Amino acid sequence: MIAKVITDISLDREFDYLVPENLVSVIRVGSAVAVPFGRTSRSGYVLALAENSFYAPDKLKYISGLAADRPAIPENLIKLGKWISSYYCATQEHAVRTLLPAAVRSGKVREKKLKLYSVADRGEAEKYIISHAEESRLAKRVKVLQMLLRRGEGAKAEFAGDVDFSVAAFEALCKSGLIRVREKVLDTGFDDRIETLPDSPLEPTADQQQALEQISEMLSGKISSHVQLLYGTTNSGKTEVYLQAISKVLAMGKSAIVLVPEISLTPQTVRRFRARFGSKLSVLHSRLSDRERFDEWNRINSGKVQIAIGARSALFAPFANLGLIVVDEEHDSSYKQSESPRYHARDVAVVRGQLENACVVLGSATPSAESLYNAKTGKFLLCRMAAQVDNKPPPVIHVVDRRLDRAPEPGVSNLLSPILINAVEERLERGEQAILFLNRRGYARTLCCPQCGYEARCPECSVNYNYTYSRSRSVLSCHLCGGIVPAPRVCPECGFEDIRYFGSGTEKLESCVRGAFPGARVGRMDSDLMRSADDYEIILDKFRRGRLDILVGTQMIAKGLHFPGVTLVGVVNADLGLSMPDFRAQERTFQMLTQVAGRAGRGEKRGEVIFQTTRDSDVIRFAADLDFDGFSKFDLEFREMLNYPPFSRMIAIFFKGENESAVAGFAAEFAEKLSAYQHPKIRIIPPAPAPVEKIKNQYRYLMTIRGTGLKTIREAVRVLALHSHIPAGITVAVDVDPQNLM
Ligand code: ADP
Ligand code: ZN
């Protein structure tokens, strides 16, 4: 028998090894093995077993043995890993790495084992005690044996406190075989730092009933699709549906995985699952130590728990009998991994479900265009939950057009409109809380006119895309079509001379707020400031306890948090995200706005939301009406018109290096080789400087491929990127279904 083995050095190829006779019955796909490699020995994983090799048997070496220090990968995960490697154009070694937490892969953390001692044979022990009772030389041994008979099995440390214990006598008895030792793997049990009271299922609402029935049908295989898109308004009771669906799956003797965006993995969420499922649940926090991660992996692998909840990587929880995968907030961009393999956990969840005959529930209040499209075309089942469980009135949302405000006095910051300032003052007077939100992320700024609201945009690509302004080259360039024009010095619309880059950060906002509301207690939350999960918890905790009046922050505060005291949410630049040169700009903006609006009025009092904007935008209007259906129709039409995903597929290839001309030259060569795959349904957009042209002294070029039927060209890209010669100093990163085109 031949085993195809991948070793843990970065090579995208399998090596053939002979399987020695004594291992034939134990080696399987996924086994961790030790193999001779050149002059050394390496560990690796068996990816496949075969009868024959392309190489002559006398050229092959034998597997040296099973790797004692690391567990095998379940075979179903190996299949998934191969799919990831091929679809996302990643090396097999990267894919295998993704499947296993580092702690498990390295084999450096071992299982905690405890040695337990007991009397080997009661009869023998009694005989010993009787026959040696009078010998003072053996008195200590007799006492130890008597103690063991009295106490039963236990660890040495437990006995050490006993008055009758003696180390020397104990060891002598072990040696003679009168005491026997047994090794037991320690069960680390679940995280009881979070205290919960058990709870029970709630009586489902009509919407929930309908969702659960559809899931039951999927589970019983009565319907052809294995994926449900659960499109449910915030507070419509999606989480309760997940909980009850999981109970069904457990009753069938199967297991479940729940994926949440990392930021939602707060104690609030975990508590609800823990309360329902207790020790059946494994929580895969990013904060787990290696040791804990290792333990959790083994608890799952050995079937000690039935449910795993965690961010992206929890998708690879090694359950043998998976029944259900829930992807909560399926539209969230954190499901896409930015390093190789650049997989999307939602999409891989659908594939894992298919490979293992498990059902998948994708939940969201604002589903992604991709998932909606799949529901429209019948690939996914759609379940709509429109009613809120508590019938709470939605917040009142106003749009404030900043262009109507009086121009600010020179030197005075213009971030807050008079209406917003008033609204905040009211809150301060009433002792309520406000959140001010500014979605300012680190990307190239856009060129805008503060007087008329003009924003430079590419004539070729119209609609909502605008240019990226390059200060060094003094041009505006569009990476969608590659067009370039010199940057205007005055506003082409109104002639205003003081056109400028748009983009104030939260830091500026914070100082503005402190200036406008002296005496108010202000906190700020953004990724500049939040270095650890603890920083984040500390400030949220302060806010929750009412020790802060105003919280200023980026989208970090937009997600799923529950602050009953907040009655006002202000979005300083509601239109800012629309300027991103990315076809998902509208979708992201809508999601962000509705999500952040949902933070207002979670308590008793009705919430108020103010969107400040400097342009007319359908997206903002839809968001202000909380009209997701309207928005999604609009967004899908726009994408269809320009043939963007989900109407086409996309591959982005980034080329990076310190020497710009070398990067450009290599990118052009790369593109040239791909031109052989040109096809009427495929559009290859040639390499051009990426919107973010340089990061850490590395020049970046981007080429994209867009169209349908990309399989062949994707395979070609994979071979070129992984197996062709790439000059030193240049790296190529392939991103299939990219979420980020910057
Ligand atoms: P979503 O996940 O869609 O935002 P949740 O499942 O969190 O909604 O439900 C919102 C609130 O309504 C929660 O406080 C939850 O306990 C409550 N809830 C959900 N389903 C029911 C039900 N069937 N009966 C009573 N309360 C419910
Ligand atoms: Zn202008």
Side-chain angles (χ1 to χ4, degrees):
M1 192 160 59
I2 306 290
K4 302 199 175 279
V5 174
I6 182 108
T7 62
D8 45 13
I9 44 174
S10 186
L11 291 170
D12 185 44
R13 60 173 285 205
E14 301 155 6
F15 293 90
D16 287 2
Y17 285 91
L18 294 163
V19 181
E21 262 329 294
N22 64 331
L23 288 182
V24 166
S25 60
V26 285
I27 287 240
R28 57 172 186 77
V29 171
S31 293
V33 291
V35 292
F37 196 89
R39 285 158 188 270
T40 62
S41 167
R42 297 218 172 250
S43 34
Y45 292 94
V46 176
L47 290 191
L49 293 168
E51 283 310 312
N52 301 305
S53 170
F54 176 75
Y55 303 96
D58 58 336
K59 293 265 188 292
L60 296 179
K61 295 180 178 167
Y62 278 95
I63 286 180
S64 355
L66 285 177
D69 56 354
R70 53 181 87 190
I73 310 175
E75 187 165 353
N76 47 24
L77 282 185
I78 293 274
K79 272 195 212 147
L80 191 64
K82 283 186 178 166
W83 182 85
I84 287 175
S85 156
S86 121
Y87 184 81
Y88 290 106
C89 301
T91 62
Q92 299 202 28
E93 189 255 348
H94 279 169
V96 165
R97 263 194 211 181
T98 307
L99 301 175
L100 293 184
V104 176
R105 208 172 51 235
S106 70
K108 293 240 169 64
V109 187
R110 311 244 163 122
E111 285 183 320
K112 237 189 247 166
K113 284 184 186 155
L114 191 62
K115 286 187 174 161
L116 293 176
Y117 298 87
S118 60
V119 169
D121 180 299
R122 208 181 169 93
E124 289 292 318
E126 281 169 6
K127 251 191 244 162
Y128 187 93
I129 293 169
I130 295 164
S131 52
H132 300 293
E134 305 301 316
E135 287 174 57
S136 61
R137 196 172 56 88
L138 297 174
K140 282 187 175 166
R141 298 190 190 185
V142 168
K143 281 201 165 149
V144 168
L145 269 184
Q146 284 173 323
M147 176 199 76
L148 268 181
L149 283 173
R150 196 168 67 234
R151 298 182 58 147
E153 190 179 56
K156 199 156 139 190
E158 294 172 42
F159 302 135
D162 202 295
V163 284
D164 290 335
F165 185 77
S166 136
V167 184
F170 187 85
E171 282 182 352
L173 287 166
C174 288
K175 251 192 199 145
S176 71
L178 279 162
I179 296 180
R180 107 186 139 170
V181 58
R182 183 170 79 88
E183 276 191 324
K184 190 181 161 210
V185 177
L186 268 196
D187 195 359
T188 43
F190 64 86
D191 177 4
D192 47 15
R193 279 170 293 187
I194 302 170
E195 280 178 34
T196 45
L197 294 172
D199 86 343
S200 45
L202 302 165
E203 184 61 34
T205 62
D207 278 353
Q208 287 173 332
Q209 190 62 40
Q210 175 211 336
L212 286 164
E213 273 165 22
Q214 198 175 56
I215 294 171
S216 289
E217 282 180 34
M218 282 200 302
L219 287 171
S220 64
K222 278 192 202 136
I223 1 187
S224 56
S225 177
H226 73 293
V227 186
Q228 178 194 61
L229 175 60
L230 184 61
Y231 163 29
T233 317
T234 309
N235 266 322
S236 60
K238 294 186 293 298
T239 309
E240 185 62 31
V241 170
Y242 306 153
L243 291 167
Q244 297 197 22
I246 292 169
S247 296
K248 283 179 201 278
V249 167
L250 297 191
M252 295 166 74
K254 296 190 175 185
S255 319
I257 295 174
V258 183
L259 299 186
V260 292
E262 179 65 49
I263 207 122
S264 321
L265 199 53
T266 56
Q268 294 170 1
T269 321
V270 172
R271 215 171 279 139
R272 288 179 73 180
F273 282 85
R274 180 71 81 209
R276 195 67 57 89
F277 299 114
S279 61
K280 293 196 180 85
L281 177 75
S282 168
V283 181
L284 303 170
H285 263 290
S286 60
R287 276 177 268 171
L288 294 183
S289 67
D290 273 3
R291 159 98 257 158
E292 290 168 317
R293 198 165 291 283
F294 180 81
D295 288 343
E296 291 305 322
W297 197 89
N298 283 298
R299 261 151 48 79
I300 296 167
N301 200 26
S302 61
K304 289 195 180 111
V305 294
Q306 286 75 44
I307 311 158
I309 184 170
R312 199 169 59 217
S313 63
L315 175 59
F316 305 112
F319 288 116
N321 192 8
L322 191 62
L324 178 71
I325 307 174
V326 171
V327 184
D328 188 29
E329 311 281 357
E330 66 87 29
H331 61 273
D332 196 282
S333 55
S334 72
Y335 285 127
K336 177 80 174 178
Q337 173 154 293
S338 53
E339 260 109 63
S340 174
R342 296 177 178 81
Y343 70 95
H344 197 299
R346 175 198 58 219
D347 301 341
V348 180
V350 170
V351 172
R352 182 164 184 195
Q354 190 157 28
L355 288 176
E356 299 183 35
N357 230 335
C359 297
V360 181
V361 173
L362 308 176
S364 174
T366 53
S368 61
E370 284 80 0
S371 295
L372 278 174
Y373 181 75
N374 281 327
K376 274 210 172 109
T377 55
K379 190 174 166 202
F380 296 172
L381 304 168
L382 179 66
C383 183
R384 175 86 172 101
M385 302 210 302
Q388 296 200 325
V389 175
D390 49 8
N391 273 323
K392 195 169 279 196
V396 182
I397 306 181
H398 315 284
V399 178
V400 173
D401 189 335
R402 299 305 314 283
R403 291 169 301 181
L404 304 178
D405 290 343
R406 259 195 309 146
E409 285 162 36
V412 175
S413 167
N414 190 23
L415 284 172
L416 306 173
S417 64
I419 295 179
L420 184 53
I421 290 178
N422 268 340
V424 173
E425 266 164 4
E426 271 176 32
R427 296 322 183 281
L428 293 174
E429 274 162 27
R430 296 206 294 253
E432 295 167 11
Q433 292 173 301
I435 297 179
L436 298 178
F437 176 80
L438 177 58
N439 177 26
R440 167 76 175 89
R441 301 200 278 187
Y443 59 85
R445 297 167 180 203
T446 57
L447 188 63
C448 288
C449 173
Q451 181 162 296
C452 72
Y454 164 83
E455 187 186 80
R457 57 175 71 176
C458 170
E460 297 293 315
C461 302
S462 68
V463 211
N464 274 308
Y465 298 114
N466 72 331
Y467 278 168
T468 309
Y469 174 67
S470 160
R471 193 196 295 238
S472 60
R473 296 186 298 152
S474 198
V475 295
L476 293 166
S477 70
C478 174
H479 88 291
L480 297 176
C481 68
I484 284 178
V485 299
R489 296 185 189 281
V490 299
C491 174
E493 293 280 315
C494 71
F496 189 62
E497 291 188 343
D498 199 13
I499 52 173
R500 51 176 186 236
Y501 323 114
F502 207 63
S504 299
T506 39
E507 202 175 326
K508 185 160 165 208
L509 177 61
E510 182 190 5
S511 71
C512 256
V513 168
R514 287 186 191 280
F517 313 106
R521 296 163 302 170
V522 181
R524 179 169 69 130
M525 212 161 92
D526 55 36
S527 43
D528 286 345
L529 220 55
M530 303 289 124
R531 305 218 182 277
S532 72
D534 286 342
D535 291 344
Y536 176 81
E537 280 301 322
I538 288 167
I539 196 139
L540 284 183
D541 194 58
K542 255 179 146 176
F543 193 55
R544 201 175 289 124
R545 288 165 192 266
R547 304 253 165 85
L548 294 173
D549 302 309
I550 305 171
L551 185 59
V552 168
T554 57
Q555 74 265 22
M556 270 183 122
I557 53 179
K559 296 186 184 177
L561 300 165
H562 185 86
F563 302 111
V566 174
T567 57
L568 174 72
V569 165
V571 182
V572 173
N573 278 323
D575 51 348
L576 184 55
L578 291 172
S579 313
M580 304 260 285
D582 187 320
F583 68 94
R584 288 195 181 86
Q586 307 189 144
E587 184 178 61
R588 296 219 176 101
T589 302
F590 182 90
Q591 287 166 355
M592 201 78 80
L593 291 177
T594 48
Q595 213 160 38
V596 78
R599 299 311 104 213
R602 306 278 295 186
E604 301 287 293
K605 293 184 189 143
R606 187 156 187 191
E608 183 182 359
V609 178
I610 294 175
F611 291 160
Q612 297 190 152
T613 173
T614 51
R615 75 168 102 187
D616 296 315
S617 150
D618 292 318
V619 177
I620 293 174
R621 217 188 54 240
F622 284 124
D625 294 340
L626 294 173
D627 178 9
F628 180 74
D629 294 322
F631 166 73
S632 88
K633 186 162 173 284
F634 166 82
D635 192 38
L636 281 172
E637 273 167 12
F638 149 79
R639 293 196 193 196
E640 184 164 24
M641 187 170 77
L642 293 176
N643 196 29
Y644 276 111
F647 298 92
S648 65
R649 290 304 187 97
M650 203 170 195
I651 301 170
I653 308 164
F654 287 91
F655 303 88
K656 292 173 236 174
E658 280 185 15
N659 178 336
E660 184 171 14
S661 60
V663 173
F666 180 74
E669 246 174 65
F670 196 99
E672 177 59 34
K673 286 183 190 143
L674 284 176
S675 62
Y677 299 86
Q678 193 69 268
H679 186 277
K681 290 194 170 158
I682 297 177
R683 189 162 161 220
I684 301 179
I685 296 128
V692 181
E693 290 170 40
K694 193 166 143 185
I695 296 179
K696 287 187 188 158
N697 277 325
Q698 296 260 314
Y699 287 91
R700 309 166 79 242
Y701 272 62
L702 167 64
M703 75 175 285
T704 52
I705 300 166
R706 181 143 56 94
T708 49
L710 295 189
K711 188 161 188 269
T712 316
I713 197 167
R714 194 181 64 227
E715 280 162 6
V717 169
R718 187 178 189 281
V719 170
L720 278 179
L722 302 181
H723 296 281
S724 70
H725 173 72
I726 293 170
I730 292 183
T731 53
V732 179
V734 180
D735 195 348
V736 177
D737 302 332
Q739 287 282 323
N740 179 1
L741 293 168
M742 304 292 281

